[in-house]
Amino acid sequence: MEANMGYRSQITFVVEKPLVNSLLTLFATNPKVREMLTYDNPIQQNTGGDMLFQVDWIKWYRDSFPEVQALEDWMMEHDEEHYSFNRLGEEFGDHEIRGFSEAWYVSPSQALTIDDGY
């Protein structure tokens, strides 16, 4: 049951064509990063060669998961004009954004969910 506990986030990660080879090198040297980014959804690619990753319900803890730290390090090493990263946490207003990409437009949204009782 512990595997399901903890704060979860949703992420989107866009990598434009100039950085795709670098990301593929990261996947080759650290396969857990690719596994993390493609666990829920397959890689989407547009006609320009840009890539989109979407991951739902992920524990995005830099200090606890080496694959998260590896991707964080990769982002710090690359030009923010060719990727975008969005993380939306469970708590209202918990939105982190890095980089800027015109390949896909990503924005947070808020919705009400209705459940049947408690």
Side-chain angles (χ1 to χ4, degrees):
M1 189 63 118
E2 185 176 326
N4 292 328
M5 297 174 69
Y7 192 82
R8 302 291 180 135
S9 296
Q10 175 186 22
I11 66 162
T12 60
F13 182 51
V14 175
V15 179
E16 293 182 349
K17 189 173 182 176
L19 294 180
V20 166
N21 283 339
S22 176
L23 183 66
L24 294 177
T25 299
L26 175 63
F27 287 174
T29 58
N30 193 334
K32 289 225 176 241
V33 174
R34 180 186 175 127
E35 181 181 323
M36 171 185 69
L37 289 176
T38 60
Y39 178 78
D40 283 341
N41 299 300
I43 300 168
Q44 295 180 44
Q45 198 164 11
N46 65 15
T47 56
D50 308 309
M51 301 173 99
L52 169 66
F53 303 88
Q54 299 178 71
V55 184
D56 296 320
W57 210 241
I58 185 170
K59 291 183 179 182
W60 195 260
Y61 300 127
R62 294 167 180 93
D63 297 334
S64 300
F65 297 100
E67 57 273 25
V68 171
Q69 187 62 55
L71 187 59
E72 293 270 351
D73 292 345
W74 184 92
M75 287 188 283
M76 288 177 55
E77 295 169 2
H78 289 84
D79 184 356
E80 289 188 353
E81 291 182 18
H82 294 294
Y83 77 85
S84 69
F85 173 85
N86 281 266
R87 185 192 58 76
L88 193 60
E90 291 180 51
E91 294 179 3
F92 182 78
D94 183 7
H95 178 229
E96 173 186 1
I97 184 169
R98 271 189 264 162
F100 178 79
S101 172
E102 294 183 356
W104 278 276
Y105 178 72
V106 178
S107 64
S109 66
Q110 179 180 338
L112 293 174
T113 302
I114 301 171
D115 290 322
D116 195 17
Y118 280 93

